[in-house]
Amino acid sequence: MAVYDYDLFVIGGGSGGVRAARVAAALGKRVGIAEEYRYGGTCVIRGCVPKKLYVYASQFPEHFADAAGYGWTVPQASFDWQTLVANKDREISRLEAIYRKNVQGAGGETFQSRAMLVDPHGVHLLGEDRTVTADQILIATGGRPTPHPALPGHEHCIFSNEAFDLKELPDAIMIEGGGYIAVEFANIFHGLGVDTTLVYRGKEILSRFDMDLRRMLHETMEKKGIRILCHAVSEWVRKRPDGRLDAVVTGGKVLTVDQVMLAIGRLPNTENMGLEGVGIEMTRTGAIHVDQYSRTSIDNIWAIGDVTNRVQLTPVAIHEAMCFVETAFKGNPTAPDHETIATAVFSQPEIGTVGLSEDEAIKRFSEVEIYRATFRPMRNTLSGRDEKMLMKLVVDGASKKVLGAHILGPDAGEMAQLLGIPLKAGLTKDDFDRTMAVHPTAAEELVTMYKPTYRVSDGERA
């Protein structure tokens, strides 16, 4: 029987890779993990965590304005970008140290190095110029923003990675893209006082989300002062003598801004890792092809998280890591469950959603009931803020099973997390109706919408 340096070697120190390494090490396995940049990966270093901190920062102008209706007199406020960036950096460094410490505390060994596969059991650590061996190898290298090299002037653009650490806050920015990253950053920069334009090639922002949410968020963002140009793309970007940028979009419109940010998708980090050399099968987009248990085409090599391009969410990568440990080390083959995943878009107002959209449900079920309510949340009454909230349930007309729940408004993400439980459990609209409301709350609307707003049968609204 072959003797290896490690029972498991993990390539990639993001949320998925660290979880797999820590849990496997806690089982007594000999574990090594290599990360070439910073432990914590996209989520902690340049994604979810700093983004949510910036969302909080960008919400304060509205909070200050709303306070007047509640009797508060707030002095003229000022904002310092460098302070936000410095405080963010301090928090990210704290979290990174925890990620590394958790692996080491469980008995795993951490490496600060890029790692490449040299054979099915060999990993070369470039930073140390040595090769280690492992019985099982897990690839969790995540993804990165699509660079859009075909765009003339792309070298003048920034991506979400750089947006967190700009030397100064721009006066004006153009963001290209219509997904959650583009939408969230558009709201962040606008909230911080930046003149913001969102450019998206599609007919409506946030494709694959429920259309009612998409339309209502679009309208609300425009009312706040964010310009949204749909059916448009940037055609070229040129640097002006004064250092600013001219971006030409579809139709010849020229936008003069300080920064152009591209948020048009993400690519898996699979280049120059030796994957093809050992025979790992890839998809046409460069992602690692895996089976239902996250196993690659090589029996002892596995992959989880964004590098597999299944569902690009941090909690999903962590879930896949736990399933991997069950399968590889506990003799309990467990396939990740990618159905009915709750998620949030931290726009302003934010979105929380779980399950099927109305359009998806209509395609799958012969009769669908829609329960829909729009109202002004109580917090907006005294403040005078003219901003509505949307609650929507999508129900199978035959079984009464709740297929989808969609919210636009304050704390929508928190509600989506809790709604994920009853939808995952397969509860029905009758179960919702039997549940007592908590009053006064916005969430009580979810259990007090007793009659359908409308029904759709065989694709036709009744």
Side-chain angles (χ1 to χ4, degrees), residues 147-159 172-176 199 233-241 243-250 253-264:
H148 198 7
L151 173 66
H154 67 91
E155 66 273 13
H156 303 307
C157 301
I158 63 169
F159 303 91
I173 189 169
M174 186 198 95
I175 300 174
E176 181 163 6
V199 175
V233 297
S234 56
E235 297 181 346
W236 52 259
V237 177
R238 183 175 300 157
K239 197 158 193 174
R240 294 158 48 104
R244 303 190 80 199
L245 302 174
D246 282 337
V248 173
V249 300
T250 302
K253 183 178 180 62
V254 179
L255 301 175
T256 301
V257 295
D258 301 288
Q259 296 286 354
V260 173
M261 175 179 162
L262 302 180
I264 54 175

Side-chain angles (χ1 to χ4, degrees), residues 143-148 159-160 176-182 201 208 262-268 309 312:
R144 68 188 187 282
T146 301
H148 198 7
F159 303 91
S160 56
E176 181 163 6
Y180 74 93
I181 295 175
R201 65 181 179 179
R208 296 190 295 276
L262 302 180
I264 54 175
R266 294 179 65 80
L267 295 173
N309 197 29
Q312 296 184 25

Side-chain angles (χ1 to χ4, degrees), residues 292-325:
Q292 62 177 327
Y293 298 106
S294 300
R295 192 191 303 267
T296 73
S297 51
I298 306 298
D299 283 348
N300 69 296
I301 301 179
W302 314 69
I304 60 171
D306 291 3
V307 76
T308 66
N309 197 29
R310 287 177 286 183
V311 180
Q312 296 184 25
L313 293 169
T314 297
V316 173
I318 293 172
H319 171 67
E320 291 170 357
M322 298 301 291
C323 292
F324 156 73
V325 172

Side-chain angles (χ1 to χ4, degrees), residues 330-343:
K330 291 188 176 182
N332 178 32
T334 303
D337 180 1
H338 294 117
E339 292 295 318
T340 319
I341 298 171
T343 189

